[in-house]
Amino acid sequence: MRTSVIALLAAFLTISAAAQSPTRSFSVEQILSFPSPENLTVSPVGAAVAWSFNERGVRNVYVAAGPTFAARRITSYRDDDGQELTHLAFSNDGKTIVYVRGGDHGSGRPGDDGPPNPAQLPTQPKIQIWSVPVAGGDAKILSDGDDFAISPDSSRVVFVKERRIWTAPIDGSKPAQMLFFARSTSESPAWSPDGRTLAFVSNRTDHSYIGLYTPDQPIRFIAPSTSRDSLPVWSPDGKKIAFLRQPGIGGTPRSPLARISQTWSLLVADSQNLALSTIVTSGESPVDPILQNPGGIVFRWAADNTLVVSLYRDGFPHLYTIQNPGSGSKPVLRTPGSFMVEQWTLTPDLRTIIYSANTGPDRSDIDRRHLYKVAVSGGTATALTSGTTINWSPLVTADGQSVAFLTADAQRAPIPAVVPLSGGTPRILGGERVPADFPSAQLVTPELVSFRASDGVEAHGQIFKPAAGGASRKPAIVYVHGGGPRQMLLGWHTRWEYANDYGINQYLASQGFVVLSVDYRLSVGYGEAFQFPEHTGMRGATEYRDILAAGRYLQSRSDVDGRRIGIWGASLGGYLTALALGRNSDVFAAGVDVHGVHDRIPVLTQDQVAHAMVGDGITESDLKQAVKVAYESSPISTVSTWKSPVLFIHGDDDRIVNFRQTIDMKNRLLEKGVKVEELVLPDDQHDSLLWQNWKTSATALADFFARKLK
């Protein structure tokens, strides 16, 4: 009898657990197994396209050529070794692809130990320039180096090595050698169309010049000044060079609480006599904050001596044209509307602009990307893509027939595609690389939502609702993206790290969690006022109000158990996660903080302290107030009210957020009796370079929430 009762009880518990938790439909490994495409590029001849796939950490170069556009792998790397492939480019004859292997181009900081080595390889990895024949053959190392440019005649490559400009034959037939000597750091090489002159940036730390190197001649500098000059762009005929000018480092010190406008000018110089003209400046009304956008300012030469420029003049980033720059002509808006132009390119004849923007006939298109085309000379834009897809990184094939781009939707992970320039149905490239067990059919479609913070600001988000079944009120999780100027989407993201985060959120939804991804103030896509608010970050953390509003919104939903709400995020998202756990453990019952910042005081510099002591532009009281606000904006100030358990995840070779931030916060919390768990990723970076570490982190995150919220 006792055995029967025990068996009956066991059966009841099994059925009860099944009713409360949906069946696990796919694994972490499956959802993160998609081949992540990056570095899309097109050949200068014909209709060839190239890109890199990151397939479970194994990175390789693929090509596809019209009219069939069948994908073909041309490199043979086999390991998840954490070595990036970046900067893919075709030679002008279309026969060779050059790329960079190694490094962490997301951090921009080399670190004391050289290039990252997250796989703990016994030989120190290097950052190297490689070339590989498009038709097939072995890839060859040209040299250690980075930041390259292929010569117009396709014979050689110039690149940056040891802070100098070097050169090597594109086929690797001879050793690399230094091209010329110039004091300080030389970078950003750019060939003139005829291949006779090389423009470059001579970086002097606090100021920089645009240099011109022509063999057997002294180096010339274009209008050298105390400013910082960068981004040289040749006109198609080689007669002019456009470049960006910003003030040099220095000036009267300001309070760290003050918002300082980043002024800039776009200039054009005659490449022969170096005569200079100012084309457009940020000083014009209204002040243009385009440099604070993720992509910065982008400008390209179009047909008929026209410059196409991205500007932020009417509340959104848009494209403008300047006819005959230097003649006094003003920028003319070519993409009007309440939307953001994010990426753009020109057709081979330089007469049409192809761009991606968060606009369309559906109100939810604000959280998508569609492709459009418009004439450089003006007119009405025409849509190339529509519907529920997300499309970005447009490029036009050299034959002018097709637009190559990356595409995704709520179920389909990012993949390359082409669509006729004249319009039509897109064709997927490399779809056969998607694993057969990738769980597209099991993924939910997120929905657009909005909610108001305590100060009345409307924040935005995407909600993932699990499949029907289980308890009527489910545990929920707030996801907070990093970076600030980002926008999460109603589908797979355009950036690989956020695409992985989207996959993790889909996995959490499959486990029975309601997931709310938040676009808080600082996020792009919703206009200037939302992207550039006052008192954010170390100046007051007002963006946290949107995170709290997200938690309150979930509490108000009939399908959410308001006592079981978690939160997770990475980088700035980790910072806001920590603020949430510290300030509002009454709302957020558990959290996962991935390489978050916890102490904002270290951003204050010794120079500021010294100048404040003598009252040079900033007083000691200014500095004291700034320190106070920075502390109150930091998670370390919330330890006394922090009750909820936390899991910290951090790579200890992070070159953006110091690993010590996690050590310090963990120790503070343990002293107060807070339950702390940790996952340390030895030798990995800010955004893990190893796919295995993504899988490990996602598994630990999901397990933590299952234990704490279920």
Side-chain angles (χ1 to χ4, degrees):
M1 179 69 177
R2 184 164 181 251
T3 304
S4 300
V5 171
I6 292 174
L8 202 59
L9 180 60
F12 170 78
L13 292 175
T14 301
I15 294 170
S16 177
Q20 294 182 41
S21 178
T23 303
R24 179 171 174 172
S25 56
F26 54 85
S27 67
V28 167
E29 181 166 354
Q30 286 175 299
I31 193 63
L32 295 181
S33 68
F34 66 97
S36 180
E38 293 183 283
N39 306 302
L40 187 68
T41 187
V42 295
S43 173
V45 296
V49 181
W51 67 92
S52 64
F53 264 150
N54 181 341
E55 301 174 87
R56 291 184 170 94
V58 181
R59 298 163 170 90
N60 277 292
V61 179
Y62 284 77
V63 296
T68 62
F69 289 105
R72 179 169 52 88
R73 192 181 71 182
I74 62 170
T75 57
S76 55
Y77 302 110
R78 291 182 170 82
D79 299 320
D80 176 18
D81 56 11
Q83 300 305 301
E84 285 189 332
L85 292 187
T86 54
H87 298 77
L88 268 65
F90 280 92
S91 58
N92 267 2
D93 60 12
K95 296 180 179 179
T96 306
I97 288 178
V98 180
Y99 59 95
V100 175
R101 187 166 193 265
D104 178 16
H105 293 81
S107 74
R109 184 162 61 91
D112 296 333
D113 299 326
N117 184 20
Q120 292 94 41
L121 301 174
T123 301
Q124 171 68 49
K126 299 179 180 180
I127 304 176
Q128 297 175 317
I129 313 290
W130 290 69
S131 72
V132 61
V134 171
D138 294 334
K140 296 181 179 179
I141 299 175
L142 304 186
S143 174
D144 295 354
D146 204 347
D147 190 14
F148 68 83
I150 304 173
S151 63
D153 66 0
S154 304
S155 66
R156 56 182 174 148
V157 180
V158 294
F159 52 90
V160 176
K161 175 184 176 183
E162 299 167 349
R163 303 193 304 171
R164 312 286 186 199
I165 304 294
W166 288 58
T167 184
I170 198 169
D171 60 2
S173 58
K174 295 180 181 178
Q177 59 183 15
M178 192 166 71
L179 186 62
F180 60 84
F181 170 81
R183 188 174 74 85
S184 198
T185 300
S186 298
E187 55 195 37
S188 304
W191 290 101
S192 62
D194 62 7
R196 297 190 66 251
T197 302
L198 187 77
F200 66 98
V201 174
S202 179
N203 191 341
R204 311 298 174 95
T205 305
D206 50 12
H207 66 290
S208 56
Y209 310 139
I210 303 299
L212 298 177
Y213 164 74
T214 305
D216 304 321
Q217 294 184 23
I219 290 173
R220 298 177 293 157
F221 293 113
I222 299 176
S225 70
T226 59
S227 300
R228 290 176 292 140
D229 296 343
S230 61
L231 303 178
V233 179
W234 292 89
S235 63
D237 59 10
K239 294 180 179 180
K240 296 180 180 180
I241 301 174
F243 63 94
L244 180 69
R245 172 164 286 183
Q246 298 172 263
I249 305 299
T252 305
R254 306 279 187 89
S255 167
L257 297 179
R259 277 185 61 177
I260 301 174
S261 298
Q262 300 185 46
T263 60
W264 55 268
S265 300
L266 187 60
L267 293 87
V268 170
D270 185 290
S271 62
Q272 296 303 311
N273 61 27
L274 307 188
L276 199 64
S277 300
T278 299
I279 305 308
V280 63
T281 74
S282 61
E284 298 178 5
S285 182
V287 173
D288 189 334
I290 195 74
L291 287 178
Q292 299 172 55
N293 260 16
I297 191 169
V298 180
F299 46 94
R300 297 186 178 98
W301 291 93
D304 302 325
N305 195 28
T306 301
L307 206 59
V308 182
V309 189
S310 56
L311 297 174
Y312 210 137
R313 294 293 164 93
D314 63 350
F316 288 90
H318 280 299
L319 299 179
Y320 292 72
T321 59
I322 305 171
Q323 184 76 31
N324 299 317
S327 64
S329 57
K330 299 294 184 181
V332 178
L333 177 63
R334 297 303 186 200
T335 57
S338 298
F339 59 83
M340 169 184 67
V341 173
E342 189 169 47
Q343 298 162 332
W344 58 279
T345 190
L346 294 168
T347 52
D349 63 5
L350 306 181
R351 296 188 179 279
T352 302
I353 307 168
I354 312 296
Y355 63 92
S356 67
N358 64 327
T359 186
D362 187 327
R363 64 177 293 271
S364 295
D365 285 333
I366 192 172
D367 279 11
R368 299 190 182 103
R369 300 289 184 271
H370 293 307
L371 301 185
Y372 295 83
K373 64 179 180 180
V374 67
V376 171
S377 59
T380 302
T382 302
L384 288 172
T385 63
S386 60
T388 59
T389 58
I390 297 164
N391 309 291
W392 68 100
S393 296
L395 293 168
V396 183
T397 54
D399 62 1
Q401 299 300 304
S402 303
V403 178
F405 60 101
L406 300 178
T407 185
D409 59 28
Q411 283 74 36
R412 186 182 63 208
I415 198 82
V418 292
V419 66
L421 181 61
S422 58
T425 303
R427 177 189 300 183
I428 299 299
L429 311 184
E432 68 279 0
R433 302 304 305 176
V434 179
D437 62 350
F438 182 74
S440 293
Q442 289 100 314
L443 304 186
V444 301
T445 300
E447 301 171 11
L448 184 66
V449 295
S450 63
F451 37 86
R452 291 197 178 274
S454 59
D455 58 358
V457 172
E458 184 182 31
H460 311 269
Q462 308 83 31
I463 195 159
F464 300 69
K465 294 188 291 189
S472 59
R473 288 184 174 269
K474 296 177 171 57
I477 296 171
V478 171
Y479 164 75
V480 190
H481 68 72
R486 308 282 187 266
Q487 183 188 33
M488 299 310 291
L489 306 172
L490 292 169
W492 291 84
H493 203 270
T494 62
R495 293 173 54 134
W496 70 273
E497 66 271 38
Y498 295 114
N500 282 341
D501 287 358
Y502 177 85
I504 293 170
N505 287 335
Q506 284 280 2
Y507 180 74
L508 292 172
S510 79
Q511 299 301 293
F513 293 98
V514 175
V515 181
L516 175 58
S517 173
V518 183
D519 284 328
Y520 49 90
R521 65 194 79 180
L522 294 176
S523 299
V524 301
Y526 306 103
E528 184 174 2
F530 195 76
Q531 185 180 348
F532 301 108
E534 296 289 342
H535 310 303
T536 57
M538 64 167 284
R539 298 177 177 88
T542 56
E543 69 272 34
Y544 173 68
R545 297 174 185 174
D546 303 331
I547 308 306
L548 179 57
R552 299 288 192 202
Y553 167 77
L554 285 174
Q555 286 182 323
S556 72
R557 289 180 61 96
S558 61
D559 57 348
V560 170
D561 182 345
R563 300 165 301 172
R564 296 188 291 159
I565 296 176
I567 184 169
W568 84 278
S571 195
L572 184 56
Y575 160 71
L576 291 168
T577 293
L579 276 183
L581 297 172
R583 291 184 178 182
N584 290 103
S585 284
D586 59 323
V587 176
F588 301 101
V592 178
D593 173 349
V594 186
H595 49 247
V597 175
H598 307 125
D599 182 0
R600 306 303 293 254
I601 294 177
V603 299
L604 304 177
T605 68
Q606 290 298 319
D607 281 349
Q608 288 173 320
V609 173
H611 285 277
M613 291 175 66
V614 296
D616 179 22
I618 176 175
T619 66
E620 289 189 58
S621 62
D622 291 334
L623 202 59
K624 185 176 181 180
Q625 177 64 16
V627 171
K628 180 177 182 293
V629 172
Y631 173 74
E632 292 172 347
S633 303
S634 299
I636 59 170
S637 71
T638 70
V639 171
S640 63
T641 54
W642 188 318
K643 308 297 181 185
S644 300
V646 62
L647 167 63
F648 291 118
I649 301 177
H650 207 156
D652 76 341
D653 193 21
D654 191 330
R655 303 177 185 193
I656 295 178
V657 174
N658 196 311
F659 186 69
R660 186 175 296 176
Q661 293 267 344
T662 292
I663 298 174
D664 177 70
M665 195 64 184
K666 175 196 170 184
N667 291 340
R668 290 173 184 259
L669 293 175
L670 289 177
E671 290 171 5
K672 295 296 183 180
V674 177
K675 294 181 180 178
V676 178
E677 299 180 25
E678 64 179 32
L679 173 61
V680 173
L681 308 173
D683 300 326
D684 213 344
Q685 301 294 294
H686 189 66
D687 294 309
S688 292
L689 293 174
L690 282 183
W691 180 82
Q692 181 62 46
N693 281 346
W694 276 98
K695 188 177 103 170
T696 300
S697 298
T699 301
L701 178 151
D703 174 72
F704 177 83
F705 282 131
R707 288 186 285 110
K708 301 303 180 183
L709 300 180
K710 287 187 175 183

